[in-house]
Amino acid sequence: MNKKPILVVMAAGMGSRYGGLKQIDPVGPSGEAILDYSLYDARRAGFETVVFIIKHEIEQAFKDAVGARALRAGFEVRYAYQQLDKLPEGFTVPEGRVKPWGTAHAILVAEEAIGEAPFAVINADDYYGPQGFRLVYDYLCSHADGDRFAWSMVGFLLKNTVSANGSVSRGVCVTDAAGNLHSVTERTCIAPYAGGIHYSEDGGESWTDLDENSVVSMNLWGFTPAYIAEAKAGFAAFLRENLPVNPLKCEYYLPSVVTAALQQGKAEVRVLTSTDKWHGITYREDKPELVAALQQMSAQGLYPADRLF
């Protein structure tokens, strides 16, 4: 029998543009963080084990604010630590490097905590809504690797992910007729306007319209254990190529491992589309909108009116 899927939460980053530790910033009526809502939605979707990827520097604050509530919610809670010196044999941290090694590296440091189970990956500071967790949990439970890796990604409609307070970056997805991911194109400057949604590649000098119903990636992925093996196999090569030219800032991104596996014909990535509205706090002004949305959802009965756990 297949192992039950595990939820992996990437929570090692600090919110530089927002200013502060977004992972534990209260947005709910009883001081809940965004992540508390993700835990609530994941638990009722079926997840029973959560792995938090954090830094030692935020360990106690994170455990007190989030870890304790995850335990009360009924999760088995595990921790992994994304530290700079966790590198393949033969590599050392470049002098002056303070930036983490990226999201694929985050998954690698969680290898022991994940074990041999399939797993979903989310950002700690994004609100995804209930549907995405149900979709990815059910997919992980019902699909296993065959001739190709059986991976998945929850996509969101672009119109449900933009911010009224500034431009955002989104990975715009292209799928084949079967609903499998063909490619992801990163657009780094997307903004709504009176006529719809558009993006710019030249700092706002010119704009190109985007279909508001385009499916975009918001980093809610579903993987089999093969993802870790693929990421591990590619990390040393990444370091050899990038350290000589960008030693202080190069990052090994989670989607780059997916792209490589797709290009090599090793993986099939099913795009599972959620119609829920995604919320994040890219800008400080985004927080009041999120707080109001959560209050409305509580009033509609989607969440408990007083406290989640």
Side-chain angles (χ1 to χ4, degrees), residues 155-161 171-173 190 197 209-217 273-274:
F156 289 77
L157 302 180
L158 176 61
K159 65 184 178 184
N160 290 335
T161 73
V172 181
C173 302
I190 297 176
I197 300 173
D209 278 357
L210 270 174
D211 184 346
E212 64 177 15
N213 290 313
S214 297
V215 175
V216 296
S217 169
T273 303
S274 170

Side-chain angles (χ1 to χ4, degrees), residues 53-90:
I53 304 171
I54 61 176
K55 290 181 181 178
H56 282 297
E57 292 84 348
I58 67 170
E59 180 175 2
Q60 198 56 53
F62 190 92
K63 286 182 175 180
D64 291 344
V66 179
R69 291 201 284 264
L71 287 169
R72 288 201 300 272
F75 279 100
E76 177 188 340
V77 180
R78 304 172 187 172
Y79 291 93
Y81 300 92
Q82 188 176 17
Q83 302 300 124
L84 283 176
D85 58 357
K86 292 191 177 182
L87 292 172
E89 187 175 349

